[in-house]
Amino acid sequence: MAPATLPDWAAAISFGIAGYGVLSVPYFLLVDADPADFDPRPALRRAIESGRYDPALIAVTNVRHTAHDAAERARRIPRDAAITAAALLALTIPMGEHR
């Protein structure tokens, strides 16, 4: 087996440093962790109370009503088309013949 070269040693050291970093990040995040640190409710409450998300919240709230209105309009299309067709057909009947 050939002896290790300088690039081999550099790769091994880099691999060791990367492994230490990968393993130490969760440790340093959790070593002093308090369960309150992971509770997103205070941050969400502050964000909602700031008013920045009001248009998005209004849009989400109105989605149900918008979908209901679209379904109602789609359900009326055949009826409106039938009424229009009947009105157009009534215009084509001569007045004198059918009373």
Side-chain angles (χ1 to χ4, degrees), residues 66-94:
T66 304
H68 186 284
D69 292 343
E72 184 65 30
R73 276 187 256 122
R75 195 169 62 232
R76 284 189 310 220
I77 288 175
R79 185 191 69 148
D80 292 345
I83 291 172
T84 304
L88 290 174
L89 185 62
L91 289 176
T92 60
I93 298 175

mmCIF file of all heavy atoms in Angstrom, residues 66-94:
data_model
loop_
_atom_site.group_PDB
_atom_site.id
_atom_site.type_symbol
_atom_site.label_atom_id
_atom_site.label_comp_id
_atom_site.label_asym_id
_atom_site.label_seq_id
_atom_site.Cartn_x
_atom_site.Cartn_y
_atom_site.Cartn_z
ATOM 1 N N THR A 66 -65.969 32.170 -1.355
ATOM 2 C CA THR A 66 -65.676 32.316 -2.781
ATOM 3 C C THR A 66 -65.948 31.006 -3.515
ATOM 4 O O THR A 66 -66.527 31.009 -4.610
ATOM 5 C CB THR A 66 -64.208 32.734 -2.981
ATOM 6 O OG1 THR A 66 -63.969 33.934 -2.244
ATOM 7 C CG2 THR A 66 -63.897 32.965 -4.439
ATOM 8 N N ALA A 67 -65.543 29.890 -2.933
ATOM 9 C CA ALA A 67 -65.796 28.589 -3.554
ATOM 10 C C ALA A 67 -67.292 28.299 -3.616
ATOM 11 O O ALA A 67 -67.790 27.776 -4.618
ATOM 12 C CB ALA A 67 -65.076 27.491 -2.783
ATOM 13 N N HIS A 68 -68.016 28.660 -2.567
ATOM 14 C CA HIS A 68 -69.467 28.447 -2.554
ATOM 15 C C HIS A 68 -70.128 29.291 -3.638
ATOM 16 O O HIS A 68 -71.028 28.815 -4.358
ATOM 17 C CB HIS A 68 -70.031 28.811 -1.179
ATOM 18 C CG HIS A 68 -71.471 28.499 -1.031
ATOM 19 N ND1 HIS A 68 -72.456 29.270 -1.597
ATOM 20 C CD2 HIS A 68 -72.121 27.505 -0.377
ATOM 21 C CE1 HIS A 68 -73.634 28.775 -1.312
ATOM 22 N NE2 HIS A 68 -73.461 27.698 -0.569
ATOM 23 N N ASP A 69 -69.721 30.550 -3.795
ATOM 24 C CA ASP A 69 -70.291 31.415 -4.829
ATOM 25 C C ASP A 69 -69.971 30.895 -6.227
ATOM 26 O O ASP A 69 -70.829 30.920 -7.125
ATOM 27 C CB ASP A 69 -69.765 32.843 -4.674
ATOM 28 C CG ASP A 69 -70.284 33.513 -3.415
ATOM 29 O OD1 ASP A 69 -71.280 33.009 -2.838
ATOM 30 O OD2 ASP A 69 -69.682 34.526 -3.005
ATOM 31 N N ALA A 70 -68.754 30.406 -6.433
ATOM 32 C CA ALA A 70 -68.375 29.865 -7.748
ATOM 33 C C ALA A 70 -69.185 28.616 -8.069
ATOM 34 O O ALA A 70 -69.634 28.432 -9.209
ATOM 35 C CB ALA A 70 -66.878 29.554 -7.776
ATOM 36 N N ALA A 71 -69.401 27.764 -7.078
ATOM 37 C CA ALA A 71 -70.212 26.561 -7.310
ATOM 38 C C ALA A 71 -71.656 26.934 -7.613
ATOM 39 O O ALA A 71 -72.296 26.315 -8.476
ATOM 40 C CB ALA A 71 -70.135 25.649 -6.093
ATOM 41 N N GLU A 72 -72.173 27.938 -6.938
ATOM 42 C CA GLU A 72 -73.545 28.383 -7.185
ATOM 43 C C GLU A 72 -73.688 28.948 -8.592
ATOM 44 O O GLU A 72 -74.657 28.652 -9.308
ATOM 45 C CB GLU A 72 -73.949 29.440 -6.144
ATOM 46 C CG GLU A 72 -75.371 29.900 -6.253
ATOM 47 C CD GLU A 72 -76.367 28.813 -5.953
ATOM 48 O OE1 GLU A 72 -76.060 27.919 -5.156
ATOM 49 O OE2 GLU A 72 -77.462 28.856 -6.542
ATOM 50 N N ARG A 73 -72.710 29.738 -9.019
ATOM 51 C CA ARG A 73 -72.750 30.276 -10.388
ATOM 52 C C ARG A 73 -72.633 29.160 -11.414
ATOM 53 O O ARG A 73 -73.313 29.186 -12.450
ATOM 54 C CB ARG A 73 -71.630 31.287 -10.581
ATOM 55 C CG ARG A 73 -72.016 32.659 -10.093
ATOM 56 C CD ARG A 73 -70.971 33.702 -10.442
ATOM 57 N NE ARG A 73 -70.236 33.974 -9.207
ATOM 58 C CZ ARG A 73 -68.946 33.828 -9.050
ATOM 59 N NH1 ARG A 73 -68.192 33.426 -10.041
ATOM 60 N NH2 ARG A 73 -68.375 34.082 -7.894
ATOM 61 N N ALA A 74 -71.796 28.168 -11.157
ATOM 62 C CA ALA A 74 -71.638 27.045 -12.093
ATOM 63 C C ALA A 74 -72.923 26.223 -12.163
ATOM 64 O O ALA A 74 -73.263 25.693 -13.219
ATOM 65 C CB ALA A 74 -70.470 26.170 -11.664
ATOM 66 N N ARG A 75 -73.638 26.112 -11.042
ATOM 67 C CA ARG A 75 -74.871 25.351 -11.045
ATOM 68 C C ARG A 75 -75.983 26.097 -11.803
ATOM 69 O O ARG A 75 -76.874 25.486 -12.366
ATOM 70 C CB ARG A 75 -75.304 25.088 -9.601
ATOM 71 C CG ARG A 75 -76.346 24.028 -9.479
ATOM 72 C CD ARG A 75 -76.595 23.568 -8.066
ATOM 73 N NE ARG A 75 -77.078 24.646 -7.224
ATOM 74 C CZ ARG A 75 -76.524 24.977 -6.050
ATOM 75 N NH1 ARG A 75 -75.480 24.328 -5.608
ATOM 76 N NH2 ARG A 75 -77.015 25.959 -5.336
ATOM 77 N N ARG A 76 -75.913 27.435 -11.844
ATOM 78 C CA ARG A 76 -76.934 28.221 -12.529
ATOM 79 C C ARG A 76 -76.698 28.318 -14.022
ATOM 80 O O ARG A 76 -77.602 28.719 -14.757
ATOM 81 C CB ARG A 76 -76.979 29.624 -11.944
ATOM 82 C CG ARG A 76 -77.663 29.685 -10.613
ATOM 83 C CD ARG A 76 -77.875 31.102 -10.197
ATOM 84 N NE ARG A 76 -76.631 31.863 -10.320
ATOM 85 C CZ ARG A 76 -76.210 32.763 -9.456
ATOM 86 N NH1 ARG A 76 -76.926 33.043 -8.415
ATOM 87 N NH2 ARG A 76 -75.079 33.392 -9.645
ATOM 88 N N ILE A 77 -75.516 27.991 -14.519
ATOM 89 C CA ILE A 77 -75.208 28.148 -15.943
ATOM 90 C C ILE A 77 -76.168 27.361 -16.829
ATOM 91 O O ILE A 77 -76.715 27.924 -17.783
ATOM 92 C CB ILE A 77 -73.731 27.784 -16.228
ATOM 93 C CG1 ILE A 77 -72.836 28.879 -15.670
ATOM 94 C CG2 ILE A 77 -73.473 27.601 -17.719
ATOM 95 C CD1 ILE A 77 -71.355 28.598 -15.779
ATOM 96 N N PRO A 78 -76.433 26.069 -16.583
ATOM 97 C CA PRO A 78 -77.372 25.353 -17.466
ATOM 98 C C PRO A 78 -78.780 25.955 -17.427
ATOM 99 O O PRO A 78 -79.445 26.056 -18.460
ATOM 100 C CB PRO A 78 -77.385 23.923 -16.917
ATOM 101 C CG PRO A 78 -76.116 23.797 -16.151
ATOM 102 C CD PRO A 78 -75.815 25.158 -15.640
ATOM 103 N N ARG A 79 -79.230 26.392 -16.250
ATOM 104 C CA ARG A 79 -80.562 26.973 -16.143
ATOM 105 C C ARG A 79 -80.634 28.284 -16.919
ATOM 106 O O ARG A 79 -81.582 28.532 -17.668
ATOM 107 C CB ARG A 79 -80.902 27.222 -14.681
ATOM 108 C CG ARG A 79 -82.328 27.722 -14.478
ATOM 109 C CD ARG A 79 -82.508 28.183 -13.079
ATOM 110 N NE ARG A 79 -81.703 29.402 -12.926
ATOM 111 C CZ ARG A 79 -82.018 30.400 -12.133
ATOM 112 N NH1 ARG A 79 -83.073 30.312 -11.377
ATOM 113 N NH2 ARG A 79 -81.275 31.455 -12.056
ATOM 114 N N ASP A 80 -79.607 29.125 -16.776
ATOM 115 C CA ASP A 80 -79.590 30.392 -17.502
ATOM 116 C C ASP A 80 -79.507 30.165 -19.007
ATOM 117 O O ASP A 80 -80.134 30.896 -19.787
ATOM 118 C CB ASP A 80 -78.429 31.255 -17.035
ATOM 119 C CG ASP A 80 -78.595 31.739 -15.602
ATOM 120 O OD1 ASP A 80 -79.726 31.644 -15.079
ATOM 121 O OD2 ASP A 80 -77.588 32.193 -15.007
ATOM 122 N N ALA A 81 -78.730 29.165 -19.410
ATOM 123 C CA ALA A 81 -78.634 28.852 -20.841
ATOM 124 C C ALA A 81 -79.972 28.364 -21.375
ATOM 125 O O ALA A 81 -80.374 28.716 -22.498
ATOM 126 C CB ALA A 81 -77.557 27.796 -21.073
ATOM 127 N N ALA A 82 -80.710 27.568 -20.597
ATOM 128 C CA ALA A 82 -82.018 27.091 -21.030
ATOM 129 C C ALA A 82 -83.014 28.237 -21.141
ATOM 130 O O ALA A 82 -83.803 28.301 -22.094
ATOM 131 C CB ALA A 82 -82.536 26.031 -20.056
ATOM 132 N N ILE A 83 -82.986 29.167 -20.198
ATOM 133 C CA ILE A 83 -83.882 30.330 -20.253
ATOM 134 C C ILE A 83 -83.555 31.187 -21.465
ATOM 135 O O ILE A 83 -84.456 31.652 -22.185
ATOM 136 C CB ILE A 83 -83.779 31.143 -18.946
ATOM 137 C CG1 ILE A 83 -84.390 30.350 -17.789
ATOM 138 C CG2 ILE A 83 -84.463 32.499 -19.081
ATOM 139 C CD1 ILE A 83 -84.165 30.970 -16.424
ATOM 140 N N THR A 84 -82.266 31.389 -21.733
ATOM 141 C CA THR A 84 -81.862 32.176 -22.895
ATOM 142 C C THR A 84 -82.291 31.490 -24.186
ATOM 143 O O THR A 84 -82.793 32.136 -25.113
ATOM 144 C CB THR A 84 -80.342 32.394 -22.885
ATOM 145 O OG1 THR A 84 -79.977 33.015 -21.659
ATOM 146 C CG2 THR A 84 -79.891 33.243 -24.047
ATOM 147 N N ALA A 85 -82.086 30.167 -24.257
ATOM 148 C CA ALA A 85 -82.494 29.434 -25.461
ATOM 149 C C ALA A 85 -84.007 29.509 -25.655
ATOM 150 O O ALA A 85 -84.492 29.676 -26.788
ATOM 151 C CB ALA A 85 -82.039 27.984 -25.361
ATOM 152 N N ALA A 86 -84.776 29.394 -24.586
ATOM 153 C CA ALA A 86 -86.234 29.496 -24.704
ATOM 154 C C ALA A 86 -86.655 30.885 -25.146
ATOM 155 O O ALA A 86 -87.574 31.043 -25.970
ATOM 156 C CB ALA A 86 -86.884 29.145 -23.366
ATOM 157 N N ALA A 87 -86.002 31.913 -24.650
ATOM 158 C CA ALA A 87 -86.329 33.278 -25.054
ATOM 159 C C ALA A 87 -85.994 33.506 -26.521
ATOM 160 O O ALA A 87 -86.774 34.118 -27.261
ATOM 161 C CB ALA A 87 -85.583 34.278 -24.177
ATOM 162 N N LEU A 88 -84.841 32.999 -26.964
ATOM 163 C CA LEU A 88 -84.487 33.137 -28.378
ATOM 164 C C LEU A 88 -85.434 32.347 -29.273
ATOM 165 O O LEU A 88 -85.794 32.793 -30.367
ATOM 166 C CB LEU A 88 -83.038 32.693 -28.602
ATOM 167 C CG LEU A 88 -81.970 33.613 -28.018
ATOM 168 C CD1 LEU A 88 -80.591 32.976 -28.175
ATOM 169 C CD2 LEU A 88 -82.013 34.970 -28.695
ATOM 170 N N LEU A 89 -85.849 31.180 -28.820
ATOM 171 C CA LEU A 89 -86.807 30.383 -29.586
ATOM 172 C C LEU A 89 -88.149 31.094 -29.657
ATOM 173 O O LEU A 89 -88.813 31.080 -30.707
ATOM 174 C CB LEU A 89 -86.975 29.005 -28.938
ATOM 175 C CG LEU A 89 -87.856 28.006 -29.675
ATOM 176 C CD1 LEU A 89 -87.247 27.706 -31.044
ATOM 177 C CD2 LEU A 89 -87.996 26.744 -28.868
ATOM 178 N N ALA A 90 -88.554 31.734 -28.568
ATOM 179 C CA ALA A 90 -89.820 32.469 -28.561
ATOM 180 C C ALA A 90 -89.772 33.650 -29.520
ATOM 181 O O ALA A 90 -90.801 34.028 -30.101
ATOM 182 C CB ALA A 90 -90.142 32.941 -27.157
ATOM 183 N N LEU A 91 -88.589 34.232 -29.728
ATOM 184 C CA LEU A 91 -88.476 35.357 -30.664
ATOM 185 C C LEU A 91 -88.596 34.905 -32.117
ATOM 186 O O LEU A 91 -88.941 35.711 -32.972
ATOM 187 C CB LEU A 91 -87.138 36.066 -30.437
ATOM 188 C CG LEU A 91 -87.000 36.878 -29.157
ATOM 189 C CD1 LEU A 91 -85.587 37.420 -29.045
ATOM 190 C CD2 LEU A 91 -88.003 38.011 -29.133
ATOM 191 N N THR A 92 -88.306 33.647 -32.377
ATOM 192 C CA THR A 92 -88.350 33.167 -33.769
ATOM 193 C C THR A 92 -89.749 32.719 -34.180
ATOM 194 O O THR A 92 -90.001 32.521 -35.367
ATOM 195 C CB THR A 92 -87.399 31.983 -33.952
ATOM 196 O OG1 THR A 92 -87.795 30.917 -33.084
ATOM 197 C CG2 THR A 92 -85.963 32.384 -33.644
ATOM 198 N N ILE A 93 -90.690 32.574 -33.255
ATOM 199 C CA ILE A 93 -92.058 32.148 -33.600
ATOM 200 C C ILE A 93 -92.820 33.354 -34.132
ATOM 201 O O ILE A 93 -92.869 34.395 -33.483
ATOM 202 C CB ILE A 93 -92.762 31.562 -32.362
ATOM 203 C CG1 ILE A 93 -92.004 30.330 -31.874
ATOM 204 C CG2 ILE A 93 -94.214 31.250 -32.675
ATOM 205 C CD1 ILE A 93 -92.559 29.784 -30.603
ATOM 206 N N PRO A 94 -93.418 33.215 -35.298
ATOM 207 C CA PRO A 94 -94.203 34.340 -35.844
ATOM 208 C C PRO A 94 -95.426 34.609 -34.954
ATOM 209 O O PRO A 94 -96.052 33.681 -34.439
ATOM 210 C CB PRO A 94 -94.639 33.873 -37.222
ATOM 211 C CG PRO A 94 -93.806 32.683 -37.538
ATOM 212 C CD PRO A 94 -93.318 32.121 -36.237
#
